[in-house]
Amino acid sequence: LKKQLNAKGLTTAIRIDRDLPPTITTDGRRLSEALAALVDNAITFTSEGSVILAARRARSQADPDEEVVRIEVHDTGIGMSPAAVAQLTESFTTGDPSPSRLHPGLGIGLTIASRILSRLGAGLEVHTSPEFGTKFWIDLPLARPDAP
């Protein structure tokens, strides 16, 4: 990934909030695979600008009483169409199925990441537009101190 970043001249940043717990109970290998797919996608579809990886405490969108670690991958790339976003959970689809597509494989890595994260109990959310690029985020539940 570093080679791809350097070849494109993209600006990169990693932002980790200091108030995160030192460890999170999850399958680290699978989480790494999902994050690698998201970062690879961000690099592939960003020709100029930046790719940012960030982690912070947040409130779950599904349950505001639940505290989560939110991991974000944000790029300034081409963005995704609503149809491509809708296909993220479908098996091995591409965002642009035409034979002349510029970016073959769009969505396959994202579909895999989505499935991995689902198995970890974490959802994959997305906000995207051509002017904004794409921001994916993952919410990983934090264990509550009073939980058994």
Side-chain angles (χ1 to χ4, degrees):
L1 296 177
K2 187 175 180 180
K3 187 175 180 180
Q4 290 174 289
L5 285 167
N6 290 337
K8 288 187 166 192
L10 299 175
T11 302
T12 59
I14 297 176
R15 299 179 181 148
I16 309 294
D17 282 357
R18 294 181 191 262
D19 69 339
L20 288 177
T23 60
I24 301 168
T25 304
T26 191
D27 183 332
R29 183 181 57 81
R30 287 193 176 174
L31 178 59
S32 293
E33 289 172 0
L35 287 174
L38 294 175
V39 171
D40 183 57
N41 185 77
I43 294 167
T44 299
F45 299 102
T46 304
S47 58
E48 59 183 29
S50 62
V51 175
I52 299 169
L53 177 65
R56 63 184 173 87
R57 282 183 190 253
R59 294 283 171 192
S60 167
Q61 289 185 314
D63 178 2
D65 292 332
E66 182 181 25
E67 192 171 26
V68 297
V69 171
R70 178 161 298 154
I71 301 173
E72 302 172 347
V73 177
H74 181 195
D75 66 63
T76 57
I78 62 173
M80 296 173 63
S81 70
V85 172
Q87 292 176 342
L88 282 179
T89 57
E90 294 181 20
S91 295
F92 302 104
T93 59
T94 62
D96 178 6
S98 67
S100 62
R101 63 185 176 248
L102 293 174
H103 303 289
L106 169 61
I108 293 172
L110 299 178
T111 299
I112 293 168
S114 178
R115 288 185 178 199
I116 290 170
L117 293 167
S118 175
R119 289 182 187 138
L120 296 178
L124 179 61
E125 302 290 334
V126 62
H127 173 74
T128 183
S129 72
E131 314 80 43
F132 172 81
T134 302
K135 182 193 298 186
F136 285 99
W137 67 93
I138 303 160
D139 285 347
L140 293 168
L142 283 175
R144 294 182 184 173
D146 59 340

